mmCIF file of all heavy atoms in Angstrom:
data_model
loop_
_atom_site.group_PDB
_atom_site.id
_atom_site.type_symbol
_atom_site.label_atom_id
_atom_site.label_comp_id
_atom_site.label_asym_id
_atom_site.label_seq_id
_atom_site.Cartn_x
_atom_site.Cartn_y
_atom_site.Cartn_z
ATOM 1 N N ALA B 650 -95.276 -5.002 62.508
ATOM 2 C CA ALA B 650 -95.886 -4.435 61.295
ATOM 3 C C ALA B 650 -96.317 -2.982 61.506
ATOM 4 O O ALA B 650 -96.904 -2.379 60.605
ATOM 5 C CB ALA B 650 -97.082 -5.284 60.875
ATOM 6 N N GLY B 651 -96.059 -2.455 62.701
ATOM 7 C CA GLY B 651 -96.324 -1.037 62.921
ATOM 8 C C GLY B 651 -97.556 -0.716 63.745
ATOM 9 O O GLY B 651 -97.941 0.440 63.845
ATOM 10 N N HIS B 652 -98.203 -1.747 64.332
ATOM 11 C CA HIS B 652 -99.411 -1.480 65.123
ATOM 12 C C HIS B 652 -99.049 -1.228 66.582
ATOM 13 O O HIS B 652 -98.742 -2.161 67.327
ATOM 14 C CB HIS B 652 -100.389 -2.649 65.016
ATOM 15 C CG HIS B 652 -100.920 -2.841 63.635
ATOM 16 N ND1 HIS B 652 -101.846 -1.990 63.075
ATOM 17 C CD2 HIS B 652 -100.629 -3.762 62.689
ATOM 18 C CE1 HIS B 652 -102.113 -2.384 61.841
ATOM 19 N NE2 HIS B 652 -101.380 -3.454 61.576
ATOM 20 N N GLU B 653 -99.110 0.023 66.966
ATOM 21 C CA GLU B 653 -98.730 0.419 68.317
ATOM 22 C C GLU B 653 -99.635 -0.221 69.368
ATOM 23 O O GLU B 653 -99.194 -0.555 70.470
ATOM 24 C CB GLU B 653 -98.833 1.938 68.388
ATOM 25 C CG GLU B 653 -98.204 2.571 69.592
ATOM 26 C CD GLU B 653 -98.348 4.072 69.532
ATOM 27 O OE1 GLU B 653 -99.388 4.590 69.979
ATOM 28 O OE2 GLU B 653 -97.431 4.725 69.021
ATOM 29 N N ARG B 654 -100.894 -0.416 69.017
ATOM 30 C CA ARG B 654 -101.842 -0.986 69.990
ATOM 31 C C ARG B 654 -101.458 -2.407 70.387
ATOM 32 O O ARG B 654 -101.844 -2.888 71.446
ATOM 33 C CB ARG B 654 -103.258 -0.953 69.427
ATOM 34 C CG ARG B 654 -103.912 0.413 69.627
ATOM 35 C CD ARG B 654 -105.366 0.420 69.216
ATOM 36 N NE ARG B 654 -106.068 -0.754 69.693
ATOM 37 C CZ ARG B 654 -107.018 -1.370 69.012
ATOM 38 N NH1 ARG B 654 -107.348 -0.950 67.817
ATOM 39 N NH2 ARG B 654 -107.624 -2.415 69.521
ATOM 40 N N ALA B 655 -100.717 -3.072 69.518
ATOM 41 C CA ALA B 655 -100.257 -4.420 69.869
ATOM 42 C C ALA B 655 -99.284 -4.348 71.042
ATOM 43 O O ALA B 655 -99.303 -5.210 71.937
ATOM 44 C CB ALA B 655 -99.584 -5.066 68.660
ATOM 45 N N ALA B 656 -98.450 -3.307 71.054
ATOM 46 C CA ALA B 656 -97.520 -3.117 72.178
ATOM 47 C C ALA B 656 -98.303 -2.833 73.453
ATOM 48 O O ALA B 656 -97.997 -3.372 74.521
ATOM 49 C CB ALA B 656 -96.559 -1.976 71.871
ATOM 50 N N THR B 657 -99.325 -2.003 73.335
ATOM 51 C CA THR B 657 -100.159 -1.682 74.504
ATOM 52 C C THR B 657 -100.743 -2.962 75.096
ATOM 53 O O THR B 657 -100.714 -3.176 76.315
ATOM 54 C CB THR B 657 -101.303 -0.723 74.094
ATOM 55 O OG1 THR B 657 -100.714 0.448 73.534
ATOM 56 C CG2 THR B 657 -102.172 -0.349 75.274
ATOM 57 N N GLU B 658 -101.253 -3.821 74.232
ATOM 58 C CA GLU B 658 -101.877 -5.063 74.704
ATOM 59 C C GLU B 658 -100.846 -5.978 75.377
ATOM 60 O O GLU B 658 -101.104 -6.557 76.440
ATOM 61 C CB GLU B 658 -102.549 -5.780 73.521
ATOM 62 C CG GLU B 658 -103.143 -7.141 73.856
ATOM 63 C CD GLU B 658 -104.261 -7.092 74.902
ATOM 64 O OE1 GLU B 658 -104.941 -6.059 74.995
ATOM 65 O OE2 GLU B 658 -104.427 -8.087 75.638
ATOM 66 N N LEU B 659 -99.680 -6.087 74.769
ATOM 67 C CA LEU B 659 -98.643 -6.956 75.351
ATOM 68 C C LEU B 659 -98.206 -6.441 76.729
ATOM 69 O O LEU B 659 -98.025 -7.229 77.664
ATOM 70 C CB LEU B 659 -97.425 -7.038 74.415
ATOM 71 C CG LEU B 659 -97.534 -8.025 73.250
ATOM 72 C CD1 LEU B 659 -96.391 -7.815 72.262
ATOM 73 C CD2 LEU B 659 -97.538 -9.469 73.736
ATOM 74 N N VAL B 660 -98.045 -5.135 76.844
ATOM 75 C CA VAL B 660 -97.617 -4.569 78.136
ATOM 76 C C VAL B 660 -98.708 -4.780 79.180
ATOM 77 O O VAL B 660 -98.443 -5.219 80.304
ATOM 78 C CB VAL B 660 -97.268 -3.066 78.001
ATOM 79 C CG1 VAL B 660 -96.915 -2.488 79.362
ATOM 80 C CG2 VAL B 660 -96.120 -2.863 77.033
ATOM 81 N N THR B 661 -99.942 -4.494 78.807
ATOM 82 C CA THR B 661 -101.047 -4.652 79.748
ATOM 83 C C THR B 661 -101.142 -6.111 80.221
ATOM 84 O O THR B 661 -101.353 -6.385 81.394
ATOM 85 C CB THR B 661 -102.377 -4.237 79.075
ATOM 86 O OG1 THR B 661 -102.196 -2.957 78.491
ATOM 87 C CG2 THR B 661 -103.513 -4.182 80.068
ATOM 88 N N ARG B 662 -100.943 -7.006 79.296
ATOM 89 C CA ARG B 662 -101.078 -8.441 79.583
ATOM 90 C C ARG B 662 -100.012 -8.945 80.548
ATOM 91 O O ARG B 662 -100.274 -9.825 81.354
ATOM 92 C CB ARG B 662 -100.997 -9.186 78.234
ATOM 93 C CG ARG B 662 -101.433 -10.614 78.281
ATOM 94 C CD ARG B 662 -101.374 -11.222 76.887
ATOM 95 N NE ARG B 662 -102.483 -10.836 76.031
ATOM 96 C CZ ARG B 662 -102.698 -11.337 74.813
ATOM 97 N NH1 ARG B 662 -101.866 -12.237 74.321
ATOM 98 N NH2 ARG B 662 -103.713 -10.943 74.095
ATOM 99 N N HIS B 663 -98.792 -8.425 80.443
ATOM 100 C CA HIS B 663 -97.687 -9.042 81.188
ATOM 101 C C HIS B 663 -97.103 -8.180 82.309
ATOM 102 O O HIS B 663 -96.175 -8.625 82.988
ATOM 103 C CB HIS B 663 -96.571 -9.427 80.204
ATOM 104 C CG HIS B 663 -97.013 -10.447 79.198
ATOM 105 N ND1 HIS B 663 -97.301 -11.748 79.526
ATOM 106 C CD2 HIS B 663 -97.249 -10.338 77.858
ATOM 107 C CE1 HIS B 663 -97.685 -12.406 78.438
ATOM 108 N NE2 HIS B 663 -97.666 -11.570 77.414
ATOM 109 N N THR B 664 -97.620 -6.970 82.483
ATOM 110 C CA THR B 664 -97.037 -6.062 83.494
ATOM 111 C C THR B 664 -96.981 -6.694 84.883
ATOM 112 O O THR B 664 -95.939 -6.702 85.547
ATOM 113 C CB THR B 664 -97.832 -4.744 83.552
ATOM 114 O OG1 THR B 664 -97.521 -3.992 82.386
ATOM 115 C CG2 THR B 664 -97.459 -3.918 84.773
ATOM 116 N N ARG B 665 -98.102 -7.236 85.326
ATOM 117 C CA ARG B 665 -98.146 -7.732 86.719
ATOM 118 C C ARG B 665 -97.200 -8.910 86.919
ATOM 119 O O ARG B 665 -96.599 -9.052 87.989
ATOM 120 C CB ARG B 665 -99.584 -8.092 87.096
ATOM 121 C CG ARG B 665 -100.451 -6.851 87.255
ATOM 122 C CD ARG B 665 -101.608 -7.051 88.219
ATOM 123 N NE ARG B 665 -102.134 -5.769 88.640
ATOM 124 C CZ ARG B 665 -103.329 -5.303 88.303
ATOM 125 N NH1 ARG B 665 -104.141 -6.011 87.538
ATOM 126 N NH2 ARG B 665 -103.721 -4.122 88.752
ATOM 127 N N ALA B 666 -97.043 -9.739 85.902
ATOM 128 C CA ALA B 666 -96.116 -10.881 86.028
ATOM 129 C C ALA B 666 -94.677 -10.387 86.173
ATOM 130 O O ALA B 666 -93.899 -10.924 86.968
ATOM 131 C CB ALA B 666 -96.243 -11.793 84.813
ATOM 132 N N VAL B 667 -94.339 -9.343 85.407
ATOM 133 C CA VAL B 667 -92.973 -8.798 85.484
ATOM 134 C C VAL B 667 -92.737 -8.177 86.863
ATOM 135 O O VAL B 667 -91.693 -8.386 87.490
ATOM 136 C CB VAL B 667 -92.723 -7.750 84.367
ATOM 137 C CG1 VAL B 667 -91.331 -7.144 84.495
ATOM 138 C CG2 VAL B 667 -92.894 -8.379 82.996
ATOM 139 N N VAL B 668 -93.735 -7.442 87.347
ATOM 140 C CA VAL B 668 -93.614 -6.794 88.659
ATOM 141 C C VAL B 668 -93.427 -7.851 89.760
ATOM 142 O O VAL B 668 -92.545 -7.736 90.608
ATOM 143 C CB VAL B 668 -94.859 -5.921 88.945
ATOM 144 C CG1 VAL B 668 -94.894 -5.474 90.396
ATOM 145 C CG2 VAL B 668 -94.869 -4.712 88.023
ATOM 146 N N ARG B 669 -94.241 -8.882 89.730
ATOM 147 C CA ARG B 669 -94.135 -9.961 90.741
ATOM 148 C C ARG B 669 -92.760 -10.593 90.684
ATOM 149 O O ARG B 669 -92.124 -10.854 91.704
ATOM 150 C CB ARG B 669 -95.166 -11.057 90.453
ATOM 151 C CG ARG B 669 -96.563 -10.721 90.858
ATOM 152 C CD ARG B 669 -97.486 -11.875 90.512
ATOM 153 N NE ARG B 669 -97.359 -12.976 91.427
ATOM 154 C CZ ARG B 669 -97.650 -14.243 91.131
ATOM 155 N NH1 ARG B 669 -98.040 -14.566 89.929
ATOM 156 N NH2 ARG B 669 -97.530 -15.181 92.028
ATOM 157 N N PHE B 670 -92.313 -10.876 89.473
ATOM 158 C CA PHE B 670 -91.013 -11.534 89.286
ATOM 159 C C PHE B 670 -89.887 -10.669 89.858
ATOM 160 O O PHE B 670 -89.051 -11.146 90.633
ATOM 161 C CB PHE B 670 -90.802 -11.788 87.789
ATOM 162 C CG PHE B 670 -89.458 -12.372 87.440
ATOM 163 C CD1 PHE B 670 -89.252 -13.734 87.480
ATOM 164 C CD2 PHE B 670 -88.411 -11.553 87.065
ATOM 165 C CE1 PHE B 670 -88.014 -14.279 87.158
ATOM 166 C CE2 PHE B 670 -87.170 -12.080 86.735
ATOM 167 C CZ PHE B 670 -86.982 -13.452 86.782
ATOM 168 N N LEU B 671 -89.893 -9.384 89.489
ATOM 169 C CA LEU B 671 -88.813 -8.494 89.925
ATOM 170 C C LEU B 671 -88.818 -8.311 91.440
ATOM 171 O O LEU B 671 -87.778 -8.375 92.099
ATOM 172 C CB LEU B 671 -88.946 -7.130 89.233
ATOM 173 C CG LEU B 671 -88.552 -7.092 87.766
ATOM 174 C CD1 LEU B 671 -89.031 -5.803 87.106
ATOM 175 C CD2 LEU B 671 -87.041 -7.224 87.602
ATOM 176 N N TYR B 672 -90.004 -8.086 91.993
ATOM 177 C CA TYR B 672 -90.097 -7.873 93.429
ATOM 178 C C TYR B 672 -89.679 -9.144 94.181
ATOM 179 O O TYR B 672 -88.924 -9.079 95.152
ATOM 180 C CB TYR B 672 -91.529 -7.468 93.788
ATOM 181 C CG TYR B 672 -91.750 -7.260 95.265
ATOM 182 C CD1 TYR B 672 -91.287 -6.103 95.899
ATOM 183 C CD2 TYR B 672 -92.405 -8.207 96.039
ATOM 184 C CE1 TYR B 672 -91.474 -5.915 97.254
ATOM 185 C CE2 TYR B 672 -92.595 -8.029 97.400
ATOM 186 C CZ TYR B 672 -92.126 -6.884 97.998
ATOM 187 O OH TYR B 672 -92.308 -6.702 99.350
ATOM 188 N N SER B 673 -90.149 -10.280 93.721
ATOM 189 C CA SER B 673 -89.806 -11.549 94.382
ATOM 190 C C SER B 673 -88.311 -11.818 94.319
ATOM 191 O O SER B 673 -87.745 -12.446 95.213
ATOM 192 C CB SER B 673 -90.551 -12.715 93.726
ATOM 193 O OG SER B 673 -91.930 -12.499 93.774
ATOM 194 N N ALA B 674 -87.682 -11.359 93.234
ATOM 195 C CA ALA B 674 -86.259 -11.647 93.037
ATOM 196 C C ALA B 674 -85.353 -10.639 93.730
ATOM 197 O O ALA B 674 -84.141 -10.763 93.641
ATOM 198 C CB ALA B 674 -85.954 -11.695 91.550
ATOM 199 N N GLY B 675 -85.949 -9.624 94.403
ATOM 200 C CA GLY B 675 -85.110 -8.735 95.200
ATOM 201 C C GLY B 675 -85.163 -7.270 94.830
ATOM 202 O O GLY B 675 -84.502 -6.458 95.474
ATOM 203 N N ALA B 676 -85.931 -6.896 93.801
ATOM 204 C CA ALA B 676 -86.040 -5.471 93.454
ATOM 205 C C ALA B 676 -86.826 -4.753 94.547
ATOM 206 O O ALA B 676 -87.792 -5.306 95.088
ATOM 207 C CB ALA B 676 -86.749 -5.299 92.111
ATOM 208 N N GLY B 677 -86.409 -3.521 94.866
ATOM 209 C CA GLY B 677 -87.154 -2.745 95.847
ATOM 210 C C GLY B 677 -88.454 -2.242 95.238
ATOM 211 O O GLY B 677 -88.564 -2.125 94.012
ATOM 212 N N GLU B 678 -89.425 -1.949 96.098
ATOM 213 C CA GLU B 678 -90.709 -1.463 95.566
ATOM 214 C C GLU B 678 -90.536 -0.197 94.743
ATOM 215 O O GLU B 678 -91.254 0.022 93.775
ATOM 216 C CB GLU B 678 -91.673 -1.195 96.725
ATOM 217 C CG GLU B 678 -92.522 -2.400 97.057
ATOM 218 C CD GLU B 678 -93.683 -2.055 97.968
ATOM 219 O OE1 GLU B 678 -94.619 -1.390 97.516
ATOM 220 O OE2 GLU B 678 -93.619 -2.461 99.128
ATOM 221 N N ASP B 679 -89.558 0.629 95.147
ATOM 222 C CA ASP B 679 -89.349 1.883 94.422
ATOM 223 C C ASP B 679 -88.574 1.657 93.120
ATOM 224 O O ASP B 679 -88.441 2.569 92.319
ATOM 225 C CB ASP B 679 -88.614 2.898 95.307
ATOM 226 C CG ASP B 679 -87.310 2.344 95.857
ATOM 227 O OD1 ASP B 679 -87.129 1.115 95.805
ATOM 228 O OD2 ASP B 679 -86.471 3.131 96.328
ATOM 229 N N GLU B 680 -88.051 0.479 92.914
ATOM 230 C CA GLU B 680 -87.297 0.190 91.688
ATOM 231 C C GLU B 680 -88.141 -0.546 90.649
ATOM 232 O O GLU B 680 -87.816 -0.575 89.458
ATOM 233 C CB GLU B 680 -86.084 -0.705 92.002
ATOM 234 C CG GLU B 680 -85.057 -0.087 92.919
ATOM 235 C CD GLU B 680 -84.004 -1.094 93.362
ATOM 236 O OE1 GLU B 680 -84.359 -2.265 93.623
ATOM 237 O OE2 GLU B 680 -82.830 -0.717 93.447
#
Side-chain angles (χ1 to χ4, degrees):
Chain B
H652 295 287
E653 193 179 86
R654 277 186 44 216
T657 302
E658 176 62 28
L659 278 169
V660 176
T661 309
R662 194 177 283 186
H663 298 291
T664 287
R665 289 207 163 112
V667 177
V668 168
R669 283 180 76 205
F670 176 86
L671 286 166
Y672 178 76
S673 302
E678 269 193 71
D679 55 344
E680 297 171 321

